[in-house]
Amino acid sequence: MYISKLFIVLYPFFIFFFLAQEVGIRQKKEFDSIFYDVAVRISALDMTRAEKVADSLYRGSKTEIQKVKSLMLLADLLEKQGRRNEAIEYALKAEELASANLNYQWMARVYGFLATQYRIVGLADHGKTYLQKSVAISDKFTDESSYDSYMGIIFQEKAYYAIGEKKYGESIELLKHANIFFESQKDASYRDLSLGINSEMLGRSFLFLRQYDSAKYYYDESLNLLAKSGVLNSQWEGIVYHGKGLISLESKEYDVANLYLIKSLKIAESTQYAALLELVYRDLSRYYGEIRDVENYAIYHKKYVAAKDDNLKAVKSVANSEFNRFVEKQRGGFSFVYIIISGIAILFVGSVLYLLIVKRNPSKVKQIKGQKVVVKDLVVSENESLKQSTNESMDRFMPEETEKTIIDMLQEFENSNEFTDAGLTLTELSAKFKINPKYLSWVINKHKKKDFNNYINQLRISYIIEKMKNDPAYLHYKISYLSSECGFSSHSKFAAIFKKETGFTPSSFIKKLPK
């Protein structure tokens, strides 16, 4: 399903929150004026320049809170470029400064930003921990307007988690709760911007439900509100245009789809918004594939694969960094974990010595708890028990319910044609299913009688064969197009797998099909 990854696109609104309010109160102050200009105007026109100005803002900060603001501005700009690991590093520095100064509003904002980033990279539990910290600290807000605004943001972030878990009805209810808080804001620009972003999310939720009329309504409402707020050519606008393009693509309204996707592409490229670029490249390649424009399909498919790889590397980088940070924390003292490891090591050495003694005298009789036990018989008995236990564990590699769930997810996966994604890996599909890769591999081996790669290859070949049988146009396409269409990275690999699965080369197979 082509809309399955749309939920990852998110501008970290936790940064913008309070920004509009603070600027409204202290517009004349030079720092806040530059801060706002970078966050809203410059970042939409020239991301490189925005980053340089934000860095200068940090270096020229005269107070600790100005440093916090600058760090979070840099984190926001880096996040939009897909440099998520650097963004998190800046946010963690900001967290230290905000906590040291007991600035609860900025502590809450930093927690919210981190909750968002960890959600996007798949560390949901880590993200929810920060979200809970953010909710808890918001109770310390003394300004009622700030509290209402922030609670609206909290409901938005919860809606993102619901979308990620495919609970679209729940996300819609959460977003309606968020609207109640946003509508109470006195600052018109901030209120319109907040409601505009919320409407985009409502449109997205209805898009997932395939309720296209409702999705169109909220997308149009979002564009109107964003225009009223004065924030033009922003990443939010780009996300809306992408959603409208996707609706048109699903409805086979190709001219309209192209119009919206190109609008989204221009904004994504100008803002260097990595997550949106990946989605737009993907859907433009789909668009050109469906209108039989082979040349442009190849161009945008290549861009999509490259953007996806870059974003995946960024996600892996965050996961590795989080592991390294965890390890560093453990080095602070002789933890309980080390004691356990030492105990295991001692037991291991003792077991080896024991086995050596047994080996030298296998029939030796020992007294254990007042009973005579023949060591040789005991060893044989233990081996049989171990063998039996191993067989049982193989039979029960996972709970039966989990196994059935994975089978159902695989069936849905096969129906969605997502296996035509050239960059698909076992790790990525496991992450999508939110299961251990070993579980997925085991179920595929057991029920599909193939390893992961052969399973995917068979699905791809079956897919392209059905296309050739049902659509005569496919019989006239170049082999390189057919290979890209079903997810192979090269012509030669496609030809080899095709012959392995069918016994014919692609060209020979096409000749045998009725014209």
Side-chain angles (χ1 to χ4, degrees), residues 257-284:
N258 181 56
L259 176 68
Y260 285 128
L261 290 175
I262 293 299
K263 281 187 176 183
S264 181
L265 176 63
K266 288 179 179 178
I267 293 175
E269 288 180 335
S270 67
T271 59
Q272 298 177 35
Y273 196 5
L276 182 57
L277 273 172
E278 177 187 335
L279 294 177
V280 177
Y281 287 151
R282 181 199 67 186
D283 292 323
L284 276 171

Side-chain angles (χ1 to χ4, degrees), residues 22 35 90 102 133 190 319 334:
E22 291 182 4
F35 184 95
Y90 278 112
L102 294 177
K133 290 170 72 173
Y190 175 71
F334 191 76

Side-chain angles (χ1 to χ4, degrees), residues 54-73:
D55 184 65
S56 297
L57 204 59
Y58 172 72
R59 296 177 186 278
S61 296
K62 296 179 181 179
T63 67
E64 295 295 282
I65 294 306
Q66 285 184 352
K67 287 182 180 179
V68 172
K69 292 180 180 181
S70 302
L71 287 169
M72 291 308 295
L73 179 57

Side-chain angles (χ1 to χ4, degrees), residues 368-387:
I368 300 177
K369 292 185 179 179
Q371 296 181 356
K372 288 186 177 181
V373 181
V374 179
V375 174
K376 181 177 179 180
D377 293 340
L378 177 62
V379 172
V380 171
S381 176
E382 285 179 346
N383 284 340
E384 290 175 349
S385 176
L386 178 61
K387 184 177 180 181

Side-chain angles (χ1 to χ4, degrees), residues 495-515:
I497 299 298
F498 193 97
K499 187 171 183 179
K500 177 185 173 184
E501 292 291 332
T502 66
F504 299 96
T505 64
S507 299
S508 300
F509 187 87
I510 290 172
K511 289 177 182 178
K512 291 180 178 295
L513 290 174
K515 299 295 188 291

Side-chain angles (χ1 to χ4, degrees), residues 118-357:
Y118 290 130
R119 169 179 55 76
I120 291 173
V121 301
L123 300 174
D125 290 340
H126 211 39
K128 287 179 180 178
T129 298
Y130 270 102
L131 186 59
Q132 289 167 359
K133 290 170 72 173
S134 181
V135 173
I137 206 75
S138 66
D139 288 338
K140 298 181 182 293
F141 290 1
T142 55
D143 179 65
E144 184 177 347
S145 179
S146 295
Y147 177 81
D148 286 346
S149 297
Y150 199 72
M151 289 310 297
I153 300 296
I154 292 296
F155 275 109
Q156 269 190 353
E157 182 62 13
K158 288 181 177 181
Y160 272 108
Y161 277 98
I163 291 172
E165 294 168 0
K166 298 184 179 181
K167 299 175 180 177
Y168 308 124
E170 182 179 328
S171 70
I172 290 168
E173 290 304 312
L174 288 165
L175 291 167
K176 287 180 179 179
H177 280 296
N179 265 351
I180 295 171
F181 288 102
F182 290 141
E183 285 169 352
S184 66
Q185 296 307 298
K186 295 178 181 178
D187 184 283
S189 295
Y190 175 71
R191 181 178 63 248
D192 290 336
L193 176 61
S194 304
L195 292 171
I197 295 170
N198 225 44
S199 292
E200 182 280 318
M201 291 181 67
L202 281 163
R204 195 186 317 182
S205 297
F206 281 109
L207 173 58
F208 282 126
L209 291 170
R210 296 185 177 276
Q211 296 180 22
Y212 297 139
D213 288 341
S214 295
K216 286 179 182 178
Y217 170 82
Y218 282 108
Y219 278 142
D220 288 337
E221 184 177 68
S222 176
L223 289 174
N224 290 332
L225 288 164
L226 290 173
K228 284 175 63 179
S229 73
V231 179
L232 303 175
N233 297 316
S234 65
Q235 58 280 357
W236 297 302
E237 219 175 312
I239 296 169
V240 172
Y241 286 137
H242 173 260
K244 288 174 74 70
L246 199 49
I247 291 172
S248 300
L249 203 53
E250 293 286 335
S251 305
K252 308 298 182 186
E253 298 172 353
Y254 293 119
D255 290 342
V256 180
N258 181 56
L259 176 68
Y260 285 128
L261 290 175
I262 293 299
K263 281 187 176 183
S264 181
L265 176 63
K266 288 179 179 178
I267 293 175
E269 288 180 335
S270 67
T271 59
Q272 298 177 35
Y273 196 5
L276 182 57
L277 273 172
E278 177 187 335
L279 294 177
V280 177
Y281 287 151
R282 181 199 67 186
D283 292 323
L284 276 171
S285 68
R286 177 192 170 189
Y287 161 75
Y288 285 115
E290 291 191 12
I291 66 169
R292 308 291 187 249
D293 185 337
V294 179
E295 184 177 350
N296 277 312
Y297 168 83
I299 290 171
Y300 282 101
H301 185 73
K302 185 176 181 180
K303 288 184 176 184
Y304 162 59
V305 172
K308 180 182 177 182
D309 287 345
D310 288 342
N311 288 336
L312 188 59
K313 287 176 185 175
V315 168
K316 289 180 179 177
S317 176
V318 172
N320 290 336
S321 296
E322 281 309 302
F323 176 76
N324 291 334
R325 275 191 277 269
F326 172 77
V327 170
E328 287 298 321
K329 287 180 181 179
Q330 298 304 310
R331 288 177 180 171
F334 191 76
S335 70
F336 180 71
V337 174
Y338 297 142
I339 297 173
I340 294 295
I341 293 173
S342 300
I344 292 172
I346 292 169
L347 287 172
F348 175 76
V349 173
S351 299
V352 171
L353 291 173
Y354 172 77
L355 289 173
L356 286 172
I357 294 171

Side-chain angles (χ1 to χ4, degrees), residues 450-495:
K450 296 177 181 293
D451 62 20
F452 177 78
N453 288 333
N454 284 319
Y455 166 62
I456 296 298
N457 287 338
Q458 184 185 53
L459 290 175
R460 288 170 176 171
I461 297 301
S462 298
Y463 168 83
I464 203 66
I465 287 174
E466 286 301 310
K467 287 285 187 181
M468 288 190 287
K469 287 181 177 179
N470 298 321
D471 188 344
Y474 275 78
L475 303 180
H476 304 289
Y477 291 152
K478 293 180 179 179
I479 303 301
S480 58
Y481 175 82
L482 296 177
S483 66
S484 296
E485 170 76 8
C486 62
F488 285 98
S489 56
S490 70
H491 177 153
S492 57
K493 185 176 181 181
F494 168 68

